[in-house]
Amino acid sequence: MRSMLLAALIALPAFAAGEGFKARGFILPDGAVKIDEDRYRLPAAWDETVKFYRRAYPPGKYPRKTLHSQTAVRAMHIENPSGNEWDGVNLYEAGRGEVRVYILAGKEAPAGKKQP
């Protein structure tokens, strides 16, 4: 029984084990660096970042779409259906392979009231 419990704990994704931090309620991995208001540079490459956010925010609950542009930049929008704290985020691969995230501010909870 203990070995099964230990195996389950080891198998937890890194974000579920408390790794990382939140900005506007949106999970950012450890190593993310704030570069401007609601903009962060992420430590991992594009593919690893996409995998991280698929686990943290499942596509069935958080709709996403690919953002298209004339350049060779890869970009994705993740929508927050509740709109609480963050309305959505744009993930994109900037020059030199840097992955960045821009958090779109959502509805703020009224002062003195709890969010549902």
Side-chain angles (χ1 to χ4, degrees), residues 28 31-32 54 61 95 115:
L28 294 165
R54 276 193 192 125
K61 293 181 181 180
Q115 292 182 359

Side-chain angles (χ1 to χ4, degrees), residues 72-92:
V73 173
R74 293 191 276 187
M76 173 191 306
H77 175 77
I78 301 174
E79 182 181 324
N80 182 5
S82 74
N84 291 333
E85 297 186 79
W86 58 279
D87 192 42
V89 298
N90 292 334
L91 292 173
Y92 59 97

Side-chain angles (χ1 to χ4, degrees), residues 84 108-116:
N84 291 333
E108 297 293 330
K113 291 189 177 182
K114 291 184 178 180
Q115 292 182 359

Side-chain angles (χ1 to χ4, degrees), residues 38-109:
D38 295 329
R39 292 181 192 272
Y40 296 83
R41 182 175 50 243
L42 304 180
W46 177 258
D47 294 332
E48 289 81 23
T49 300
V50 170
K51 288 177 188 175
F52 175 84
Y53 284 114
R54 276 193 192 125
R55 289 189 311 264
Y57 297 104
K61 293 181 181 180
Y62 295 89
R64 54 199 73 214
K65 61 182 175 183
T66 301
L67 301 175
H68 300 283
S69 69
Q70 298 295 326
T71 63
V73 173
R74 293 191 276 187
M76 173 191 306
H77 175 77
I78 301 174
E79 182 181 324
N80 182 5
S82 74
N84 291 333
E85 297 186 79
W86 58 279
D87 192 42
V89 298
N90 292 334
L91 292 173
Y92 59 97
E93 186 177 42
R96 302 179 309 270
E98 288 182 348
V99 179
R100 296 184 180 182
V101 62
Y102 175 59
I103 304 170
L104 303 165
K107 297 175 266 188
E108 297 293 330

Side-chain angles (χ1 to χ4, degrees), residues 22-36:
K22 290 186 176 186
R24 289 197 182 270
F26 182 76
I27 298 171
L28 294 165
D30 275 343
V33 177
K34 186 172 185 170
I35 55 176
D36 201 0

